[in-house]
Amino acid sequence: MPTFDLDETRAWSGLEVFDHTGDRVGRLSAIYADTADHEPRFGLVRTGLFGLRSVLVPLEGAFEEGGALILDLERHLIKGAPHLRREEPLAPEAEAELYSHYGMEVPTTSSGQPRLELMQLEHAD
């Protein structure tokens, strides 16, 4: 898994999101980090005509360019992702479904608790 600069990642909130071919997907509204290492793993993207639907997308391979976030994914895969209510906590079953949708290995935990949590985007002083 890549390591992202946290200040850079915090600055991604609000960016327009595009797939790797340049098709617009939506706007990044939040970032979810792994509870074990606090690394950003997924971004919450508001999609649809009015941004009423939100999906989580893996940040692996993502980069910022020209004020936009470019994902290493195809739009149809993102659009088919499980929905998420805006900034809601993730149940372990929802995480498993998310990882499965993107063909990613589900990290194991001894507690059975979710591994992803909403990352605070405000800078801590």
Side-chain angles (χ1 to χ4, degrees), residues 63-107:
F63 61 95
E64 190 267 332
E65 181 178 286
L69 185 64
I70 313 300
L71 301 174
D72 188 22
L73 298 166
E74 292 183 11
R75 186 173 187 232
H76 71 81
L77 185 62
I78 298 165
K79 294 292 188 177
H83 315 357
L84 180 70
R85 288 191 179 130
R86 189 174 176 175
E87 300 174 4
E88 73 181 9
L90 291 173
E93 302 80 30
E95 280 189 29
E97 183 181 359
L98 178 67
Y99 280 97
S100 175
H101 174 77
Y102 289 110
M104 300 168 70
E105 187 174 326
V106 180

Side-chain angles (χ1 to χ4, degrees), residues 16-61:
E16 292 290 323
V17 178
F18 295 84
D19 76 355
H20 72 100
T21 66
D23 287 334
R24 185 183 181 280
V25 175
R27 182 176 299 275
L28 187 71
S29 63
I31 295 172
Y32 282 75
D34 189 304
T35 57
D37 60 12
H38 307 292
E39 288 292 323
R41 297 285 185 236
F42 287 86
L44 185 65
V45 177
R46 293 175 56 196
T47 66
L49 185 59
F50 299 105
L52 299 176
R53 184 171 179 259
S54 294
V55 295
L56 283 169
V57 297
L59 293 176
E60 184 172 0

Side-chain angles (χ1 to χ4, degrees), residues 34-36 92 95 106-116:
D34 189 304
T35 57
E95 280 189 29
V106 180
T108 57
T109 65
S110 57
S111 66
Q113 295 297 313
R115 288 193 49 108
L116 297 173

